């Protein structure tokens, strides 16, 4: 697979119908995958000796409000053996109920790097990763209300958080002390 | 040409003082205390962001904060008099700074150093406290991004003037915002 074009043809045959759309843009290969089949697709891309995507560079999510489906989860994979990369995207619709989070399966057991990235996605964008081993906030305090990178979140914050009275109280509430 | 000091220029209690001779000033106790507090402000070693670099520079040889008796940066809040909030403070850091402030013994003072500490600065965002006076009561605000060491020294002298004249904030003053969100 010397060129991106060859990789594209190979992925088309390897993923089959799972690849909903596949195209090359700005020297990057982009594949849209059905969100329910993300685990299957990533496992295949990792284990196939012709692709051997052994590293997840990053994963993130984008909010395209008010477009429907609203969210896009993006996985960037890299192969240290073949020196090529691919960008996998999944469309996620926002649930009708505002309090519910959009859901997708975790890939943290396929790529270990995804563990913290999924926590960050959950923290800032409010995407629930099914069967994630430890899905809690990673950057913001545990008592934070809402997911600040979403479009409906106020630009300069809500300014009404319960910060706790002392550091010990806060740590206890966040479970940082392991008590 | 500089004239030698005449007898008229002499300060009676200092220049005429001889060992063994008693010298007595009459003053009020709180004034004497304020004089001591003014000239021995011990800041807390607490840096939040890039302003802390300027704060370190202020304490170093070129600007020499020791000239004003405020060079003893204490590594524990229990020995510190002055909290210099140097840099932007995130909401996650806010309880920790408040804890440090409450661990400092009275009397204590606070300098809000830089635009970010004073009003959030360029960080008009969800994660930065828009002004540390919501967390701790502030005596002197220093503008600048970051302020020059001269500006911090100026703030220190202004604070000293406030302490000496008894105009510093009530040491038991509460910040504008409340930590429990009430």
């Amino acid at each position: 697979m010397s060129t991106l074009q060859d990789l594209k043809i190979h992925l088309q045959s390897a993923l089959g119908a799972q690849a909903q759309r596949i195209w090359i843009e700005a020297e990057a290969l982009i594949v849209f995958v059905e969100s329910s089949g993300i685990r299957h697709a990533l496992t295949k891309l990792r284990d196939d000796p012709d692709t051997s995507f052994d590293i997840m560079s990053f994963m993130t999510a984008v909010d395209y409000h008010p477009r429907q489906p609203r969210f896009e989860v993006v996985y960037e994979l890299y192969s240290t053996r073949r020196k090529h990369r691919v960008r996998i995207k999944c469309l996620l619709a926002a649930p009708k109920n505002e309090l519910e989070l959009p859901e997708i399966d975790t890939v943290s057991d396929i790529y270990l790097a995804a563990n913290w990235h999924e926590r960050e996605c959950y923290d800032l964008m409010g995407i629930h990763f099914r069967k994630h081993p430890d899905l809690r906030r990673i950057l913001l305090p545990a008592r934070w209300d809402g997911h600040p990178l979403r479009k409906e979140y106020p630009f300069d914050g809500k300014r009404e958080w319960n910060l706790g009275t002392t550091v010990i109280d806060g740590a206890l509430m966040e479970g940082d002390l392991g008590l | 040409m500089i004239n030698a000091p005449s007898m008229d220029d002499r300060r009676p209690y200092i220049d005429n003082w001889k060992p063994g001779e008693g010298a007595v000033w009459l003053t009020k106790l709180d004034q004497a205390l304020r004089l001591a507090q003014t000239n021995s402000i011990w800041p807390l070693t607490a840096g939040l962001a890039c302003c802390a670099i300027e704060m370190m520079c202020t304490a170093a040889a070129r600007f020499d904060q020791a000239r004003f008796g405020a060079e003893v940066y204490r590594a524990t809040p229990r020995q510190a008099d002055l909290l210099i909030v140097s840099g932007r403070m995130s909401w996650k850091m806010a309880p920790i700074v408040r804890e440090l402030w409450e661990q400092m013994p009275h009397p204590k003072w606070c300098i809000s150093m830089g635009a970010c500490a004073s009003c959030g600065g360029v960080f008009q965002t969800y994660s930065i406290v828009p002004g540390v006076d919501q967390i701790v009561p502030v005596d002197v605000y220093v503008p600048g991004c970051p302020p020059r060491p001269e500006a911090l020294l100026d703030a220190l002298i202004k604070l000293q003037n406030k302490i000496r004249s008894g105009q510093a904030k009530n040491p038991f003053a509460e910040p504008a915002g409340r930590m429990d969100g009430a």
Side-chain angles (χ1 to χ4, degrees):
Chain A
M1 254 156 296
S2 52
T3 66
L4 217 53
Q5 198 60 245
D6 296 339
L7 181 64
K8 180 186 165 189
I9 292 164
H10 180 79
L11 285 191
Q12 255 167 343
S13 62
L15 292 174
Q18 276 191 312
Q20 293 172 324
R21 281 174 71 202
I22 177 164
W23 77 99
I24 294 172
E25 182 181 312
E27 295 182 19
L29 182 59
I30 302 171
V31 187
F32 264 103
V33 171
E34 180 71 36
S35 67
S36 57
I38 183 65
R39 287 179 58 83
H40 185 253
L42 289 195
T43 313
K44 200 166 198 171
L45 291 178
R46 184 191 61 177
D47 295 340
D48 183 349
D50 287 335
T51 53
S52 72
F53 287 109
D54 50 357
I55 281 185
M56 171 177 281
S57 298
F58 65 87
M59 66 149 298
T60 184
V62 192
D63 183 0
Y64 282 105
H65 179 79
R67 191 194 77 180
Q68 276 296 345
R70 181 173 160 185
F71 296 101
E72 237 172 52
V73 184
V74 184
Y75 304 85
E76 177 97 6
L77 308 181
Y78 181 68
S79 167
T80 52
R81 270 169 243 153
R82 307 250 170 213
K83 317 285 185 205
H84 55 204
R85 33 178 93 242
V86 67
R87 192 169 302 150
I88 312 287
K89 293 188 178 186
C90 287
L91 291 172
L92 274 188
K96 291 258 166 36
N97 183 354
E98 296 250 324
L99 296 175
E100 283 179 33
L101 302 179
E103 287 193 346
I104 189 171
D105 283 330
T106 180
V107 296
S108 55
D109 51 338
I110 302 170
Y111 291 103
L112 289 181
N115 191 319
W116 281 18
H117 282 76
E118 286 180 350
R119 279 177 65 188
E120 186 184 340
C121 264
Y122 162 74
D123 191 359
L124 301 178
M125 199 63 89
I127 288 169
H128 183 260
F129 292 90
R130 279 187 294 254
K131 296 189 182 159
H132 189 284
D134 185 23
L135 193 65
R136 58 193 166 92
R137 291 187 182 276
I138 188 170
L139 293 172
L140 300 174
R143 285 153 286 147
W144 198 275
D145 179 27
H147 304 280
L149 288 196
R150 286 191 172 193
K151 292 279 190 258
E152 80 261 15
Y153 198 88
F155 173 66
D156 52 355
K158 297 185 178 179
R159 302 186 177 193
E160 47 181 40
W161 302 291
N162 180 2
L163 295 168
T165 46
T166 65
V167 172
I168 299 296
D169 277 359
L172 278 174
M173 287 174 78
E174 303 199 1
D176 287 346
L177 298 183
L179 297 174
Chain B
M1 188 175 170
I2 299 170
N3 293 325
S6 66
M7 288 298 284
D8 300 337
D9 295 332
R10 287 189 166 184
R11 292 159 295 182
Y13 283 124
I14 296 171
D15 294 343
N16 293 339
W17 183 79
K18 293 181 188 70
E21 216 177 70
V24 175
W25 291 273
L26 285 179
T27 180
K28 284 188 282 187
L29 182 59
D30 60 340
Q31 276 178 358
L33 275 178
R34 289 204 297 259
L35 200 64
Q37 289 162 359
T38 303
N39 295 302
S40 64
I41 299 177
W42 290 4
L44 180 65
T45 315
L48 290 184
C50 28
C51 279
I53 304 295
E54 296 295 302
M55 186 176 78
M56 288 178 236
C57 183
T58 312
R62 181 181 284 269
F63 297 97
D64 198 11
Q65 210 173 352
R67 291 177 292 162
F68 308 100
E71 81 283 15
V72 197
Y73 277 84
R74 304 313 288 186
T76 166
R78 304 194 190 281
Q79 297 173 359
D81 307 309
L82 171 65
L83 175 66
I84 301 177
V85 184
S86 50
R88 81 286 178 280
M89 181 158 75
S90 66
W91 281 106
K92 204 172 183 179
M93 191 69 186
I96 297 158
V97 172
R98 178 59 186 259
E99 185 93 347
L100 288 174
W101 171 256
E102 290 185 353
Q103 283 179 347
M104 285 163 59
H106 292 293
K108 53 192 174 183
W109 302 279
C110 178
I111 289 179
S112 164
M113 181 181 180
C116 303
S118 300
C119 67
V122 295
F123 299 103
Q124 193 192 352
T125 173
Y126 60 90
S127 55
I128 300 293
V129 178
V132 297
D133 46 8
Q134 301 205 6
I135 306 297
V136 288
V138 176
D139 287 284
V140 184
Y141 298 85
V142 191
C145 186
R148 291 275 310 169
E150 293 95 323
L152 185 60
L153 286 177
D154 182 50
L156 182 72
I157 293 165
K158 280 192 166 63
L159 178 66
Q160 284 183 332
N161 289 341
K162 281 177 85 174
I163 297 170
R164 193 185 294 110
S165 59
Q167 289 170 340
K169 231 177 210 32
N170 178 351
F172 294 95
E174 284 293 316
R178 290 187 47 167
M179 297 298 290
D180 54 5

